[in-house]
Amino acid sequence: MEVTSPVREVLVTGNKTYHDVSHDICRHVEAKPNPKWLAAMAVSLGAFLIGGYALAITLWDGIGMWGLNKTVGWAWDITNFVWWVGIGHAGTLISAVLLLFRQKWRTSINRAAEAMTIFAVICALLFPLIHTGRPWLSFYWFVPIPNTWGSLWVNFNSPLLWDFFAISTYFTVSLVFWYIGLIPDFATIRDRATNKISKAIYGALSFGWDGAAKTWQRYETVSLVLAGLATPLVLSVHTIVSMDFATSVIPGWHTTIFPPYFVAGAIFSGFAMVLTLMLVTRKVYNLEDYITINHIELMNIIIMITGSIVGVAYITELFMAWYSGVQYEQYAFLNRATGPYWWAYWAMMTCNVISPQLFWFKKIRTSLWATFILSIVVNIGMWFERFVIIVTSLHRDYLPSSWAMFSPTIYDMGIYLFSFGLFFTLFFSFAKFFPVINMAEVKSVLKSSSGEIENKK
């Protein structure tokens, strides 16, 4: 006798069989690109090429083409860097942390979330490289510079160097985790392939996967080990990114709340981007039976919780500035709310604090259009959060004589457009040539979490 808890909704609808899962997920890999995919790829490639022009001009003429000045030395580029790193957080959380907690609902969304993580980190690394002015000399950073009085090493006390080690480790572990999960699915596509070229390519990508019990045992062991390695990175990466600011003495930055505040904000924005991408993917590839309203509602609940944590962090910052009695700290936050960049501050508060609270209403958190719109609103708000933290803290410092305003140039905005073009070109390529849902893991929960049980009751 089989009994299913009435509280839990099924994760796979439509009474799917194992063959149905393979067919539904492989068909978009095996078929020719559909018009929707071609249109989306054309738009992303257009953004990539237009932004590429701005990038080429910047590399040729230097970063003086940006809107930076002597007072605001960090602005648009570092804002984008932190924003992209934050977006890359949800993939590791979904793939590693939820795996360790045995959350079965992750199986339909983890593959795309992991891919999003990798592509977002690639986009993030673009900005520090360009900021060096001469990225083709980057290899000098990693070796001691020859000097008459001895080798000159990088400053290991600098959180900017910690950033490099943290993000490169995060990228490497995420890439390995993502690829390990793809191997069984590549083998499925290899076995279904009728074209010799496809069979050879996916055969090479599957590393000779044979589906034996011993192979599956090793696969699951490696997945758990990688999940254990990746879990601390969920906390460490954005913690170290926050230390770029928290270890300084600039009012508005010098605060101990930044590490947990940044981590919560990263999960918040990452889940919002996952929702944006998955809602489009489920529609274009007709995957409504695998990415269900239940999945969307659970992700919205996480956004609601992390958005509330971010809201508490904002209030805590304001309280500590007042309670500290330090006039510079107090002015930094007063300037944010009422100064020349007030519009950015209130856009941040509206998008990040107020909009997620709408998900308390079940009708809204189960509405596809409301979820899609709010997921975009959240990421707009998180971009403004980074802009507010960086620019408003710098443009008015201790000396009124050095106060200045920052305005982005067309090249600032062009490189940001380039990062979007790069991200979506990579994601659309992944969605066409790789299985966008983890077939092996969906099959593992099919018997216990599908509509078949509903018919047997």
Side-chain angles (χ1 to χ4, degrees), residues 407-428:
S407 297
T409 66
I410 191 172
Y411 299 101
D412 284 298
M413 293 182 279
I415 294 176
Y416 188 39
L417 181 66
F418 174 81
S419 70
F420 269 103
L422 175 62
F423 177 82
F424 283 106
T425 299
L426 291 172
F427 187 83
F428 292 146

Side-chain angles (χ1 to χ4, degrees), residues 318-452:
L318 293 172
F319 172 77
M320 291 309 297
W322 167 77
Y323 189 71
S324 68
V326 178
Q327 60 180 335
Y328 303 108
E329 285 286 338
Q330 292 172 352
Y331 179 75
F333 285 92
L334 182 66
N335 180 52
R336 286 182 185 180
T338 63
Y341 290 110
W342 64 269
W343 49 272
Y345 178 81
W346 291 110
M348 172 192 81
M349 295 296 283
T350 303
C351 296
N352 294 348
V353 180
I354 297 172
S355 68
Q357 304 311 313
L358 296 174
F359 287 134
W360 284 101
F361 302 99
K362 187 177 180 68
K363 188 173 182 179
I364 293 178
R365 68 173 181 263
T366 56
S367 165
L368 298 181
W369 275 108
T371 298
F372 183 72
I373 292 167
L374 287 173
S375 68
I376 294 172
V377 166
V378 163
N379 265 316
I380 291 171
M382 288 307 296
W383 188 91
F384 274 115
E385 180 201 281
R386 279 59 180 257
F387 180 83
V388 166
I389 289 172
I390 294 165
V391 174
T392 63
S393 298
L394 288 174
H395 88 113
R396 288 184 175 177
D397 57 9
Y398 295 102
L399 295 175
S401 60
S402 65
W403 288 3
M405 294 292 291
F406 167 79
S407 297
T409 66
I410 191 172
Y411 299 101
D412 284 298
M413 293 182 279
I415 294 176
Y416 188 39
L417 181 66
F418 174 81
S419 70
F420 269 103
L422 175 62
F423 177 82
F424 283 106
T425 299
L426 291 172
F427 187 83
F428 292 146
S429 299
F430 152 77
K432 174 65 188 77
F433 299 109
F434 289 4
V436 76
I437 290 178
N438 193 322
M439 287 184 282
E441 293 199 356
V442 169
K443 289 175 183 177
S444 72
V445 302
L446 193 63
K447 289 295 183 183
S448 61
S449 305
S450 74
E452 288 184 7

Side-chain angles (χ1 to χ4, degrees), residues 141-363:
W141 303 345
F142 312 125
V143 293
I145 301 171
N147 185 50
T148 306
W149 304 103
S151 300
L152 292 175
W153 288 86
V154 291
N155 182 8
F156 288 99
N157 292 323
S158 170
L160 297 177
L161 188 65
W162 309 343
D163 254 358
F164 167 75
F165 288 116
I167 294 173
S168 59
T169 303
Y170 180 64
F171 177 77
T172 304
V173 172
S174 298
L175 183 63
V176 173
F177 201 0
W178 177 63
Y179 193 84
I180 291 293
L182 278 163
I183 290 175
D185 290 358
F186 282 148
T188 300
I189 299 173
R190 173 201 65 195
D191 296 340
R192 289 170 53 93
T194 55
N195 183 303
K196 287 185 178 180
I197 296 175
S198 297
K199 188 176 282 290
I201 292 172
Y202 288 106
L205 291 172
S206 64
F207 288 167
W209 177 273
D210 59 5
K214 191 69 176 177
T215 308
W216 278 108
Q217 182 187 9
R218 289 169 177 161
Y219 168 82
E220 291 175 1
T221 301
V222 169
S223 295
L224 284 173
V225 169
L226 287 172
L229 289 173
T231 298
L233 295 176
V234 174
L235 301 176
S236 67
V237 172
H238 230 57
T239 294
I240 292 173
V241 169
S242 76
M243 289 179 183
D244 292 349
F245 311 103
T247 53
S248 71
V249 294
I250 294 174
W253 290 4
H254 189 63
T255 174
T256 55
I257 199 176
F258 266 22
Y261 160 25
F262 269 53
V263 170
I267 296 170
F268 180 51
S269 61
F271 266 87
M273 182 61 87
V274 170
L275 272 172
T276 303
L277 296 174
M278 295 311 294
L279 286 171
V280 174
T281 302
R282 106 191 258 275
K283 185 65 177 177
V284 171
Y285 289 138
N286 300 316
L287 297 172
E288 288 88 348
D289 289 330
Y290 302 95
I291 305 168
T292 65
I293 297 296
N294 187 29
H295 290 95
I296 293 165
E297 183 177 9
L298 289 169
M299 286 193 281
N300 281 337
I301 290 171
I302 292 177
I303 288 176
M304 180 179 68
I305 293 169
T306 50
S308 300
I309 294 171
V310 168
V312 170
Y314 292 162
I315 295 168
T316 304
E317 277 191 313
L318 293 172
F319 172 77
M320 291 309 297
W322 167 77
Y323 189 71
S324 68
V326 178
Q327 60 180 335
Y328 303 108
E329 285 286 338
Q330 292 172 352
Y331 179 75
F333 285 92
L334 182 66
N335 180 52
R336 286 182 185 180
T338 63
Y341 290 110
W342 64 269
W343 49 272
Y345 178 81
W346 291 110
M348 172 192 81
M349 295 296 283
T350 303
C351 296
N352 294 348
V353 180
I354 297 172
S355 68
Q357 304 311 313
L358 296 174
F359 287 134
W360 284 101
F361 302 99
K362 187 177 180 68
K363 188 173 182 179

Side-chain angles (χ1 to χ4, degrees), residues 22-208:
S22 298
H23 175 72
D24 291 345
I25 297 172
C26 288
R27 66 186 175 191
H28 70 267
V29 177
E30 298 163 343
K32 292 181 179 179
N34 63 41
K36 294 177 183 177
W37 184 88
L38 290 172
M41 180 60 85
V43 172
S44 65
L45 283 173
F48 181 81
L49 293 173
I50 294 169
Y53 172 76
L55 176 61
I57 295 296
T58 300
L59 292 177
W60 183 261
D61 292 333
I63 59 173
M65 303 302 292
W66 294 351
L68 304 177
N69 52 59
K70 290 183 179 179
T71 303
V72 186
W74 277 7
W76 198 268
D77 52 319
I78 304 300
T79 298
N80 297 334
F81 163 72
V82 180
W83 186 74
W84 279 116
V85 171
I87 282 176
H89 246 59
T92 305
L93 182 75
I94 292 170
S95 59
V97 179
L98 297 185
L99 171 64
L100 295 178
F101 280 96
R102 304 295 185 186
Q103 295 297 303
K104 292 182 179 181
W105 63 272
R106 58 177 280 282
T107 56
S108 294
I109 59 172
N110 65 334
R111 172 71 51 73
E114 290 165 13
M116 182 199 74
T117 290
I118 293 163
F119 304 148
V121 172
I122 290 171
C123 292
L125 291 175
L126 175 73
F127 291 96
L129 278 175
I130 302 171
H131 201 277
T132 63
R134 295 181 176 86
W136 50 90
L137 300 179
S138 300
F139 66 92
Y140 282 123
W141 303 345
F142 312 125
V143 293
I145 301 171
N147 185 50
T148 306
W149 304 103
S151 300
L152 292 175
W153 288 86
V154 291
N155 182 8
F156 288 99
N157 292 323
S158 170
L160 297 177
L161 188 65
W162 309 343
D163 254 358
F164 167 75
F165 288 116
I167 294 173
S168 59
T169 303
Y170 180 64
F171 177 77
T172 304
V173 172
S174 298
L175 183 63
V176 173
F177 201 0
W178 177 63
Y179 193 84
I180 291 293
L182 278 163
I183 290 175
D185 290 358
F186 282 148
T188 300
I189 299 173
R190 173 201 65 195
D191 296 340
R192 289 170 53 93
T194 55
N195 183 303
K196 287 185 178 180
I197 296 175
S198 297
K199 188 176 282 290
I201 292 172
Y202 288 106
L205 291 172
S206 64
F207 288 167

